[in-house]
Amino acid sequence: MRARSSPVSWKSYRQRNWLAAILLLAGLPAAFLIAVALKLLTGIQDEVILAGSIALWAFAWGWAAIRVARWPCPRCGAPWLSNQAVELGAPRRCAKCALGLYEEP
């Protein structure tokens, strides 16, 4: 993969990260509200609608989270967060070239 220029690429990373965070925090309550609204409008069993809306939310959040993890590093172009162990408090760095978050390539 080809590396991108720094300001554009970090902006793209921030946008992807915000989308994943919003889908995680606001998406689940929205799925419940949509399920309740559809139940009132259609009269279908609420378990079916709830399961469907939560499945759609999980798919959307998973897609956004994968886009964050697979975002290309501005320096080497490798997937940014892929192949890293999950550790709380660990600095976010490229798994291949160790470029830190928001550092200049």
Side-chain angles (χ1 to χ4, degrees), residues 17-94:
N17 208 19
W18 271 105
L19 176 62
I22 289 169
L23 282 172
L24 178 64
L25 299 175
L28 189 58
F32 279 110
L33 292 175
I34 290 169
V36 169
L38 287 175
K39 160 100 170 81
L40 295 174
L41 292 174
T42 63
I44 298 174
Q45 292 180 355
D46 57 344
E47 295 87 10
V48 173
I49 293 175
L50 182 61
S53 66
I54 289 177
L56 288 173
W57 165 78
F59 176 78
W61 179 75
W63 170 79
I66 288 172
R67 287 193 61 202
V68 171
R70 301 286 303 162
W71 176 78
C73 173
R75 182 184 291 165
C76 67
W80 176 251
L81 293 174
S82 295
N83 302 324
Q84 288 188 8
V86 178
E87 262 184 65
L88 290 176
R92 289 189 275 180
R93 297 197 168 280
C94 176

Side-chain angles (χ1 to χ4, degrees), residues 4-21:
R4 300 181 195 174
S5 67
S6 181
V8 173
S9 58
W10 287 124
K11 181 180 177 185
S12 170
Y13 175 78
R14 257 187 243 109
Q15 290 171 344
R16 290 180 185 201
N17 208 19
W18 271 105
L19 176 62

